[in-house]
Amino acid sequence: MNTKEEKYFQKLGAKIKQLREEKGIDQKAFAFDCEIGRTQLYMIENGRTNPRLLTLMKIADGLEIPVSQLLEI
């Protein structure tokens, strides 16, 4: 990943974490509800991975927002 991509994924991860915390859901429970691994969610929230579209769809569904809103950063 180049620097621009890294910054984007860091911002995306921070947004996911913020929205999850605003709902008062801990990381383990949220990952379970979204049917993704807790480690995978941790990596996404810390901007260390490029999440697949299906994963982003699951996260957006768990946050009860459209994927488009999730990607607006």
Side-chain angles (χ1 to χ4, degrees):
M1 281 189 283
N2 64 36
T3 305
K4 186 177 179 181
E5 291 168 345
E6 286 178 14
K7 288 182 180 181
Y8 180 84
F9 291 126
Q10 288 171 354
K11 288 179 184 178
L12 175 62
K15 182 174 184 176
I16 291 169
K17 183 176 182 177
Q18 176 188 356
L19 292 169
R20 174 182 60 77
E21 289 177 343
E22 286 175 3
K23 290 189 169 282
I25 308 170
D26 69 68
Q27 195 177 60
K28 184 177 179 180
F30 186 69
F32 181 81
D33 290 344
C34 293
E35 299 178 351
I36 62 176
R38 192 207 57 81
T39 302
Q40 182 181 15
L41 180 59
Y42 171 84
M43 296 288 283
I44 293 168
E45 287 188 348
N46 288 282
R48 296 184 182 175
T49 187
N50 178 357
R52 296 174 48 192
L53 177 58
L54 180 59
T55 303
L56 291 176
M57 290 169 63
K58 289 178 179 182
I59 290 170
D61 188 50
L63 294 169
E64 300 175 328
I65 61 171
V67 174
S68 59
Q69 183 180 342
L70 188 62
L71 298 176
E72 292 172 0
I73 52 175

